[in-house]
Every structure is written in C-alpha cells, then in structure tokens.
Amino acid sequence: MLRINRDKCGYCGTCVAVCPEDALELIDVYLSLERECIACGICARACPLGALEVIHEE
Amino acid sequence: MKNNYDILIIGGGPAGALAAKTAAEAGNTVCLIEKRAAIGTPVRCAEGIGKELLKEFIKPDPRWIAADIERARIISPNGTAISLEQDRAGNEVGYVLDRKIFDRELVWQAAEAGADVIVKTRATAPIMENGAVRGAKVLSVGIPADIRAEVVIAADGTEAQFARRAGLDTVVPLREMMSCAQYLMTDIDIDAGSTDFYLGNEIAPEGYLWVFPKGNRTANVGIGISGRKSRDGSRAKDYLDRFVAKNFPNGKTIEAIAGGVPVCRPLACTVADGLMVAGDAARVVDPITGGGIGNAMYTGRLAAQVASKCIAAGDCSKEALMPYDAEWRASKMGTVLERNYKVKEYFVTLDDAKLNTLAESIAQSSLKEFSVLGLIKELIKRNPKLLLELKALKDTLS
C-alpha cells in the first residue's frame, strides 16, 4: 500500500505524472489516492521531498 | 457559469493563457478553468526565460521582471566556470520573471480579450461521445457541472491527467522525470547579474543546480535530479540542503517549492478527436535546460489558432486538428527539442572527470554563440582526442 506523508508533501504533482496506473490525483493542495495502487514505488522514487512510502504488507 | 463554449481550456499557466487569449481574439467563445484558487500560485518554476523568446509573446514589463540577466555561468564539478556574456548569450540568459504576476498578467489579457476565466474549478473527466472529446466534467468550488466545447485544449501542466483520461499516454518515465526542489532565498551573496548552473554527479546527478537571481541578495536556488537517482537520503531536497548549507549557510528561505520537470520526448501525438494538448502537458520542455515557459506559450497560441480554423470549418476531428501537431514538430521549437533530447541523453552518461575535462577545454574560449548548439560545436572543436566519444554528440548536429 502507498502511504502519503501529508506533512512532507509539496503538492507538486511529480508523482502524478510518473504513476503508470493513474492512481494519484492532485486536488488543489491535496494529494489523493484515487484509484487502485499497484505499489510499484515509482512515485516514491520520483518525489523530491520523500513524502511517499510504499509499504509491503506481510 | 455557462455550459457551452467553442473552446474549453484546462489550466491557467502560460500555455492555457495564450490559448485563451488567441482563441478569444479569433472570435470564439472561450472558457479557461484553473483548479487552484488563484492564477500564478503556487509557483513551480525557476522562472528564467530568454529575452528574445519572451518578446515573441508579450512586451517585457518591469512589473513581472524580477531580474535582468547579463551573463550565465556553467560551473563544472571541480569549480571550473564557463562564463558567457550577454552579447553572446542568445536564448540561455535573459529574464528571471516573477511568475505570480506574470501568469496573472497573461490570464488577465485573455480575460480582456473576452475569455471567461473560472478558478477553483478542476476537470474530473472528459465528456466523451463516440470516442471524441466533447468537453469536461468539472467540479467548480465543489459543485459538479458539465462544460461542453467543440475543442478542449489540455494545458494542465506536468501532472497532466485530462489527456490521459481521454486516452493519450502521458506517463513520464521515471528516469526522464527531473525531480526538483527550490528555495527562494534572501540575504545571500550572489552575482545579481548572472544565472549560475552547477553540474556534477555529486551536486545534481543527471541534472543541474541553479542559482537564478531575483534581485540584490535574493535568488531562486533550486535543483533537478533524475528520478532514477532519487532515493531516501538522496532526494532533490537533500542535495539542495547540502548545497545551501555549504554555500549560503546564513541565507533565509522565504519560499520552498517542489515539482517535476519532464525531460522526455514530447507526446507521440498531441491531438485526438476534439482534443489538443499544449505546454508541459504535451511534454514540450527543453530536455537540456528544463525551460518550458516559451514553449508553453508557443504551443498554446498555435493550438488556439488551429482550433479556431477547425471550428470555423465545422470539423474538429483528430485529422483536422493534426496541423497543430505537424506544425510545432516542424518548427524551430520542435527541431531544437529533438536535438536537445539527444544532447541530454549524451550528457547524462558523463562522469564528473569527463565534465571537468570538457569544461576546462572551453573555459577560456570566447564563444561566438552561447546556445546549446554553440557550446556543442566548441566542445567538439576543442576536444579532438575525444572526437570518437563525441561522435554521438556530433551526429545530433546533422
């Protein structure tokens, strides 16, 4: 699953542009997980501020 | 809010504003929607643009020019500086804008030309009929509505979603997404007349760090690194913090922003039935400099010109809109984008030692032309021993 740290997020949309599943949406100044995330981690790598974290559940 | 227009434009940045102004001046009914509450904010840009390029679209105005730049310096990993003065600087030096005021002025002009402008309104989905875009479903201050249009121009920036939801592939590959962070800093020792570009894998892997003056002792200090080089502890912000701690330890940060700059090739196709894509959403950002303001204005204006003709002719199919795609690709902008993409692909392979060698080879040169092209020609001329290695670069010139 994807965890968004809203304290770190800069609402810049970088993650949205690289998400291959169109799972993220930037609504005004609010980043939202709108669709099914496949936990690929691409958004977390692209984030300039380290606001996204993929957690693989056991 | 009206529900029917000739042209609906999504996004109030430079691409959307020029599209709206051009379309309204051509006599169309035009609606521009912006998802944020105010045009021009928050800024997500280093704010630099070449003087001549800017003048193609708008008369320079001190109200939104923060700094008039006299020279640019490229600083290699070991500190070797290539200084390029204004008389030879071409498009790579110019103005540093105040985008908050600049963007507002562009949209203001669009409104004066007759376009409706609606803020805090975001497109949630395209209205599709028989595979063609016929407008957008929107949320305007939280209230859902449909806005129908003959043509939709998607100018929704890096995080573009409208075109993607209409069926175009707009995903930026991770390695070609520049992960960027920037501080607006004050009380720092800078050369107020110089835009400085710092290169090196220790400083900004596969990207560069910039110091763009915004007046005396004030500058945009920012960085872009390749998304594939970004990881915990080595993110754009981490590199920037290290640079700032070393170079501007007593500076004050009055604004901190982040963003992504796509340095991939432009979209494979920027039109579909009833749809055109412009600006960063079309990925028409210079892959070397990351500059996109001028290209956004150019594609926004061109999209509106072509859309106006198609509306007048009663045909807004993909085929009818194709001259937009063909024209920008054949333009100077299109050819420079393709060439600079190849140049970028070469430069990201260089290690710091090679960057130092190249910089040292031309540090004392008097460049006749300060442009990416001029710089490449000089590098090739000054490095005959590296000719085989520079062949790939040379080939980009042909």
Side-chain angles (χ1 to χ4, degrees):
Chain A
M1 62 175 283
L2 184 69
R3 179 185 289 165
I4 303 166
N5 183 334
R6 298 190 196 286
D7 291 330
K8 283 188 175 180
C9 179
Y11 311 105
C12 70
T14 307
C15 54
V16 179
V18 297
C19 174
E21 295 296 315
D22 197 17
L24 290 154
E25 184 162 11
L26 189 65
I27 302 168
D28 201 358
V29 287
Y30 187 85
L31 182 65
S32 171
L33 194 56
E34 294 286 298
R35 295 174 177 75
E36 193 172 352
C37 170
I38 58 170
C40 65
I42 289 173
C43 58
R45 287 283 300 278
C47 177
L49 304 176
L52 300 166
E53 187 182 7
V54 175
I55 300 158
H56 293 285
E57 290 168 312
E58 294 299 317
Chain B
M1 184 197 301
K2 287 199 296 179
N3 296 100
N4 221 319
Y5 289 89
D6 293 328
I7 301 180
L8 170 64
I9 295 154
I10 298 170
L18 263 288
K21 179 173 181 254
T22 308
E25 285 173 345
N28 298 287
T29 56
V30 180
C31 179
L32 183 154
I33 61 170
E34 165 57 51
K35 69 180 174 185
R36 294 190 174 82
I39 299 292
T41 183
V43 174
R44 295 209 309 262
C45 180
E47 305 182 286
I49 185 169
K51 289 177 187 173
E52 295 310 312
L53 183 59
L54 176 80
K55 287 173 190 167
E56 286 180 30
F57 303 98
I58 187 168
K59 190 166 167 275
D61 187 328
R63 286 182 302 141
W64 41 258
I65 293 174
D68 192 335
I69 301 303
E70 295 159 7
R71 75 192 71 83
R73 287 186 302 207
I74 301 171
I75 297 133
S76 75
N78 67 3
T80 303
I82 305 166
S83 184
L84 304 127
E85 302 298 321
Q86 182 163 245
D87 58 345
R88 294 189 292 268
N91 248 343
E92 265 67 27
V93 295
Y95 297 120
V96 179
L97 305 178
D98 188 335
R99 286 284 306 273
K100 290 189 184 83
I101 303 170
F102 176 73
D103 285 23
R104 193 172 282 221
E105 173 64 21
L106 292 181
V107 172
W108 202 295
Q109 290 187 4
E112 282 185 336
D116 284 349
V117 178
I118 311 173
V119 296
K120 209 160 171 54
T121 298
R122 66 187 177 95
T124 56
I127 296 171
M128 303 292 292
E129 283 176 8
N130 302 320
V133 175
R134 289 283 171 258
K137 293 187 173 298
V138 304
L139 264 182
S140 185
V141 202
I143 299 167
D146 284 3
I147 301 178
R148 298 183 66 83
E150 299 295 315
V151 174
V152 175
I153 298 177
D156 45 349
T158 298
E159 75 266 26
Q161 282 175 306
F162 190 84
R164 190 187 293 192
R165 286 172 186 171
L168 301 185
D169 179 9
T170 62
V171 177
V172 182
L174 179 64
R175 65 176 281 271
E176 302 199 294
M177 173 58 85
M178 298 311 290
S179 180
C180 304
Q182 177 176 276
Y183 299 147
L184 174 55
M185 298 192 71
T186 190
D187 207 8
I188 54 176
D189 290 323
I190 52 158
D191 178 345
S194 174
T195 45
D196 292 347
F197 302 76
Y198 292 81
L199 303 179
N201 290 290
E202 295 292 318
I203 295 171
E206 297 186 14
Y208 69 88
L209 186 147
W210 62 85
V211 178
F212 286 4
K214 290 198 77 177
N216 205 19
R217 298 183 64 74
T218 300
N220 285 330
V221 183
I223 190 172
I225 66 170
S226 166
R228 71 173 161 185
K229 297 288 183 182
S230 171
R231 58 203 64 195
D232 285 345
S234 303
R235 298 189 178 278
K237 183 181 181 300
D238 301 316
Y239 283 96
L240 183 59
D241 285 339
R242 287 196 280 271
F243 179 87
V244 165
K246 185 179 169 194
N247 293 279
F248 306 124
N250 300 315
K252 285 109 185 174
T253 298
I254 60 171
E255 197 168 301
I257 56 167
V261 176
V263 293
C264 51
R265 282 197 164 99
L267 296 189
C269 184
T270 53
V271 294
D273 291 331
L275 175 68
M276 309 171 96
V277 192
D280 285 9
R283 313 305 184 209
V284 289
V285 175
D286 188 307
I288 288 284
T289 64
I293 304 169
N295 294 350
M297 291 193 286
Y298 170 74
T299 51
R301 184 173 66 184
L302 181 62
Q305 288 166 344
V306 173
S308 300
K309 285 182 193 164
C310 292
I311 289 167
D315 181 1
C316 297
S317 64
K318 178 181 175 182
E319 191 182 7
L321 297 173
M322 253 331 250
Y324 162 67
D325 190 274
E327 189 169 331
W328 75 249
R329 276 181 214 280
S331 71
K332 185 185 172 198
M333 181 201 84
T335 51
V336 167
L337 282 179
E338 179 59 21
R339 188 198 69 212
N340 284 5
Y341 179 80
K342 291 174 185 166
V343 175
K344 183 264 295 185
E345 288 291 278
Y346 169 74
F347 272 100
V348 298
T349 66
L350 299 181
D351 59 22
D352 284 5
K354 197 62 64 63
L355 282 171
N356 288 331
T357 303
L358 292 176
E360 283 162 5
S361 75
I362 58 169
Q364 305 306 321
S365 304
S366 179
L367 293 182
K368 288 192 182 116
E369 178 192 1
F370 178 37
S371 62
V372 171
L373 185 61
L375 213 50
I376 296 168
K377 283 180 178 169
E378 196 68 16
L379 284 173
I380 293 167
K381 196 171 98 187
R382 300 270 168 179
N383 294 277
K385 286 181 184 167
L386 293 176
L387 205 55
L388 194 62
E389 191 170 319
L390 293 174
K391 186 179 177 305
L393 203 52
K394 201 176 174 201
D395 289 345
T396 65
L397 306 183
S398 55

